Amino acid sequence: MTFFGSMSSVSTAKTGAAYVNNSRKARIPIIIFLFILVVINWIFDRKTFRMDLTAAGQFSLSEQTIKILKNLKKDVKITAFFKSNEQRGMQDLLSEYTYFSKKIKVEFIDPDKKPGITKNYGVTQYNTTVIECGDKSEKITTVKENDLTNALIKVTREGKKVIYFTDGHGEKDIESGERDGYNQIRLKIEKENYDVKKVFIAQEGKFPDDCSVLVINGPQKPFFPGEIDSIDTYLNDGGRVLWLLDPDSPIDKDFFDRWGVEVTNTTVIDASGFGRFFGLSAAAPLVNRYPPHIITEDFRNVATFYPLARAIVPKENPGEDITVSKLCETSSNSWGETELKNNRAKYDEGKDLKGPLAIGVVVTKILERAYLPDQKDKTAQMVIFGDSDFASNLYYGNAGNGDLFLNTINWLAEEKDLISIRPRDPEDRRLNLSSRQTKFVFWFTLVIMPVIVILSGVSIYVNRRKG
């Protein structure tokens, strides 16, 4: 009895020990699980992960806006004057701005509840937003990223740089609203805090002292020798020039030779057929190849097209301290047609230029080298496109044409944080229903569907009772 009793005690003790061990083993996964939860909670408490699932990216800021916000050096106060029940849209937009920059401070004011503050700000209508930085302020009356970002640029930039467009040679008119005018692109440049002016170099007698960038857009008449000399002198003094030359634009061959570039007398033909998906002819090459450069660094999925363009060829030996690089390049199924007759083109070996071809190139000349680490080389910079139509009123808003032109201006003006893909107005995706369709939706969702659910429930209940 004693033996079996002791055996029973030993067995009980072993069972208890086993139970304790199993309990300890069972706790380990629980502890690990709790530890993982704590770590995940700690990470999410310090890092915010956001995902915009809307088709048009409605709740995501553009790359340009994000770049500007991340580079803000000054505090900016944004005061939004909205009724309490109408603040949601602007709150959603401004929350994106404050997420990317701690320099942005936001305050919402209901004009009906605080009329004194509203009056002090000079606000006379609902849904007005005031953007302030130092002694500068801008007002907008929309809930659009484009308008808000442009206002932010204006209040945070010191002074205004001047962009000059040459005049007097049949260039595209920056005041014209016609198809081939440059009115729309001029307005876009001004929204990025530049002044835009015209200059007739021969008439002025001297080059403008405040010129940040000189733009020569589609001249139809040749420049006088004295004007070419003035442009040459301006560049060799550290100037910035943007040339836009159509196939029929006259050129000064000696000038471009000095700067390491051959502006060919060709019309670029693209036989790839890619442009036909966009309603373009073979004489309007569509480009999606961009050699590395800051101007096009965000053009990963962005195409540009050029109605009637000429090829620009970098010279093998551009000259001392001069570098020439391609900016945008056509497909390998393209060529430079030397004799375009009756809108018909055929590649002729040894006569036409075989693609891929550059439609835009960047020229940089080092004028003075910097010898200290915190200094920069003094340079002359020039961008040459073989087309001016891509930035005209008719085409600037298509694909990436407008962004390419504005990025080029900003690069030449040394405003690199403005180089990006600009915000687009949100797509209107509302569903418009006719009166008949509205009635159908009402009856189907509020009457027919609930009745079907109720009848199904009653049927199931009755069948169960019978069973």
Side-chain angles (χ1 to χ4, degrees):
M1 292 292 293
T2 306
F3 176 76
F4 285 108
S6 61
M7 286 294 292
S8 176
S9 299
V10 170
S11 176
T12 303
K14 287 183 177 180
T15 303
Y19 175 78
V20 170
N21 289 334
N22 289 335
S23 298
R24 288 176 178 172
K25 289 179 180 179
R27 289 196 199 106
I28 292 174
I30 296 173
I31 293 171
I32 293 174
F33 177 73
L34 291 174
F35 175 76
I36 292 172
L37 286 180
V38 170
V39 171
I40 291 173
N41 186 65
W42 181 83
I43 292 173
F44 276 86
D45 186 54
R46 286 155 178 78
K47 298 287 184 180
T48 303
F49 299 92
R50 302 149 77 93
M51 182 177 295
D52 186 353
L53 299 178
T54 58
Q58 183 178 349
F59 301 107
S60 300
L61 297 182
S62 69
E63 294 175 0
Q64 185 198 40
T65 297
I66 293 171
K67 187 180 291 187
I68 290 169
L69 290 171
K70 288 183 176 179
N71 290 329
L72 272 183
K73 302 293 190 296
K74 304 175 182 178
D75 292 328
V76 177
K77 182 182 179 183
I78 299 178
T79 309
F81 294 86
F82 286 69
K83 290 182 180 180
S84 299
N85 62 345
E86 297 178 354
Q87 296 177 358
R88 180 60 184 272
M90 183 55 87
Q91 284 176 341
D92 290 341
L93 179 59
L94 290 176
S95 68
E96 294 293 318
Y97 280 70
T98 55
Y99 173 76
F100 287 103
S101 177
K102 294 181 179 180
K103 295 288 186 180
I104 302 287
K105 307 300 178 186
V106 175
E107 181 181 4
F108 278 86
I109 292 177
D110 188 327
D112 295 335
K113 296 179 180 178
K114 296 182 179 181
I117 297 177
T118 304
K119 184 178 180 180
N120 289 339
Y121 272 90
V123 173
T124 58
Q125 66 181 89
Y126 292 115
N127 301 345
T128 297
T129 304
V130 181
I131 300 92
E132 300 173 277
C133 181
D135 58 353
K136 293 182 179 181
S137 68
E138 289 285 328
K139 294 178 184 177
I140 64 172
T141 56
T142 65
V143 187
K144 291 182 179 180
E145 179 193 346
N146 201 5
D147 294 334
L148 184 56
T149 298
N150 286 333
L152 189 63
I153 292 170
K154 290 178 181 179
V155 299
T156 55
R157 290 290 187 281
E158 294 294 339
K160 283 188 176 184
K161 294 182 178 180
V162 185
I163 311 299
Y164 278 92
F165 284 74
T166 60
D167 195 21
H169 313 88
E171 296 94 337
K172 288 179 169 57
D173 189 358
I174 60 173
E175 305 292 340
S176 172
E178 299 296 323
R179 290 161 51 101
D180 63 345
Y182 262 42
N183 178 55
Q184 293 299 319
I185 205 70
R186 173 184 63 82
L187 294 175
K188 294 291 184 181
I189 295 172
E190 290 174 342
K191 282 187 176 181
E192 300 205 349
N193 203 38
Y194 295 103
D195 279 336
V196 179
K197 300 179 181 179
K198 293 181 181 181
V199 59
F200 188 3
I201 301 173
Q203 194 175 61
E204 296 291 334
K206 66 173 185 176
F207 216 81
D209 295 330
D210 59 349
C211 180
S212 294
V213 180
L214 179 70
V215 183
I216 303 164
N217 58 322
Q220 299 300 304
K221 302 293 182 183
F223 282 77
F224 297 115
E227 291 178 304
I228 292 294
D229 291 341
S230 294
I231 295 171
D232 213 12
T233 301
Y234 168 67
L235 279 166
N236 281 300
D237 195 35
R240 307 287 192 263
V241 176
L242 170 59
W243 289 86
L244 301 112
L245 300 168
D246 297 308
D248 58 351
S249 295
I251 60 169
D252 188 300
K253 187 177 182 301
D254 291 339
F255 171 83
F256 290 106
D257 281 344
R258 289 196 299 273
W259 289 92
V261 172
E262 179 188 357
V263 180
T264 68
N265 291 316
T266 62
T267 300
V268 178
I269 303 297
D270 186 0
S272 66
F274 187 53
R276 293 173 189 170
F277 292 104
F278 300 87
L280 304 175
S281 71
L286 190 137
V287 169
N288 61 355
R289 298 171 57 170
Y290 307 97
H293 196 279
I294 187 174
I295 291 175
T296 54
E297 66 180 356
D298 294 320
F299 280 50
R300 292 177 292 276
N301 299 308
V302 178
T304 50
F305 66 89
Y306 309 85
L308 291 179
R310 69 199 302 171
I312 311 294
V313 178
K315 295 176 68 175
E316 291 186 7
N317 298 303
E320 186 177 359
D321 294 327
I322 294 177
T323 58
V324 183
S325 57
K326 296 179 180 180
L327 186 61
C328 47
E329 197 174 40
T330 62
S331 72
S332 56
N333 291 322
S334 63
W335 73 87
E337 179 65 45
T338 54
E339 293 184 7
L340 187 63
K341 296 180 179 180
N342 300 321
N343 293 325
R344 294 181 179 274
K346 179 177 177 294
Y347 177 69
D348 295 317
E349 186 74 38
K351 187 176 182 181
D352 297 329
L353 294 178
K354 179 63 177 173
L357 301 170
I359 293 180
V361 300
V362 177
V363 181
T364 300
K365 180 179 181 180
I366 298 176
L367 304 173
E368 295 178 9
R369 294 190 180 275
Y371 295 101
L372 297 177
D374 59 340
Q375 292 181 335
K376 295 190 304 182
D377 293 336
K378 181 181 179 181
T379 61
Q381 290 175 328
M382 188 163 52
V383 178
I384 307 166
F385 285 102
D387 177 47
S388 69
D389 295 306
F390 80 94
S392 65
N393 293 335
L394 183 60
Y395 297 113
Y396 92 95
N398 295 351
N401 286 16
D403 286 320
L404 177 63
F405 185 92
L406 293 172
N407 282 1
T408 303
I409 292 290
N410 287 321
W411 180 74
L412 289 169
E414 297 184 283
E415 296 287 352
K416 293 183 174 59
D417 59 332
L418 298 182
I419 296 174
S420 191
I421 305 299
R422 281 145 194 83
R424 300 287 192 264
D425 289 338
E427 183 181 352
D428 187 354
R429 302 178 66 85
R430 289 175 293 181
L431 179 63
N432 296 314
L433 300 177
S434 66
S435 176
R436 184 177 179 180
Q437 291 170 328
T438 303
K439 289 180 181 178
F440 172 78
V441 171
F442 170 80
W443 283 101
F444 185 76
T445 58
L446 298 181
V447 178
I448 297 175
M449 285 299 294
V451 168
I452 291 173
V453 172
I454 293 170
L455 291 177
S456 298
V458 171
S459 175
I460 293 170
Y461 174 77
V462 170
N463 288 332
R464 284 182 177 178
R465 292 281 291 180
K466 288 180 178 179

